[in-house]
Amino acid sequence: MNRSINWSVADRFGVSISTAWQCIIDVGSVLCERARQFIQWPTGPEIRQKEQEFRQIKGFPGAIGAIDCCQVQISAPHDHPDTYFNRKGYYSINVQAICDANMKFTDIYAACPGSVNDARVWALSTINEEAQRDKNRYFPDQTHIIAPTAPKIS
């Protein structure tokens, strides 16, 4: 997070920059601790329900999620800043998210620098590794995720 964002948060709430930083860190920590309670891959009958919800939107069969990546802007890191400089011209982390038809997150992967393209983020993601090990658990009955450009699921 860059300094101007910290200042605007501090200014908006009438607190010091250090207090704003601590609040941001505290909220981020709580969100990370509780994320698994809310961001979960569907299992069992939920998978069929997710597929039916996508089918109702546009008649698209077999989809249980939609995937895409976005660049989350950051300040230039001290170590290897060039790897975080993205094609759009700023420093970032490339975050991959999968949502269901109701736009509820079912998976998030935020571990790649901004210079890493979306296909590579998918290849490195935990959900891809898990689906490679047990495709039937993640994508039974030829279900799949939809994407702007299709990631390869072997």
Side-chain angles (χ1 to χ4, degrees):
M1 188 172 292
N2 68 34
R3 192 179 277 294
S4 66
I5 293 172
N6 291 333
W7 173 249
S8 70
V9 170
D11 187 51
R12 178 168 291 144
F13 292 100
V15 298
S16 69
I17 291 176
S18 63
T19 299
W21 260 116
Q22 191 58 53
C23 289
I24 290 167
I25 290 168
D26 291 348
V27 169
S29 295
V30 169
L31 290 173
C32 287
E33 288 171 13
R34 301 200 58 205
R36 290 184 187 253
Q37 293 175 338
F38 302 101
I39 303 172
Q40 297 179 4
W41 194 259
T43 59
E46 290 176 305
I47 291 175
R48 192 56 46 214
Q49 178 186 348
K50 301 296 179 193
E51 193 274 337
Q52 288 172 357
E53 290 167 354
F54 266 103
R55 190 183 296 261
Q56 287 175 340
I57 292 173
K58 292 284 184 182
F60 198 90
I64 60 170
I67 185 174
D68 204 356
C69 290
C70 70
Q71 300 287 338
V72 177
Q73 189 170 0
I74 61 170
S75 297
H78 296 291
D79 295 332
H80 311 291
D82 53 319
T83 62
Y84 291 85
F85 198 76
N86 68 33
R87 64 183 171 77
K88 296 177 182 182
Y90 57 88
Y91 297 98
S92 66
I93 295 173
N94 195 348
V95 177
Q96 173 184 279
I98 302 174
C99 295
D100 66 13
N102 297 308
M103 294 186 263
K104 180 181 173 189
F105 290 115
T106 56
D107 186 75
I108 296 178
Y109 181 71
C112 293
S115 66
V116 177
N117 70 40
D118 294 359
R120 182 75 177 138
V121 174
W122 167 257
L124 296 169
S125 71
T126 308
I127 192 74
N128 179 44
E129 289 178 12
E130 291 173 4
Q132 297 291 336
R133 278 195 296 275
D134 190 358
K135 186 175 180 182
N136 198 46
R137 183 223 183 276
Y138 290 90
F139 299 103
D141 303 321
Q142 298 186 0
T143 54
H144 52 269
I145 52 179
I146 56 176
T149 55
K152 182 178 180 183
I153 302 173
S154 324

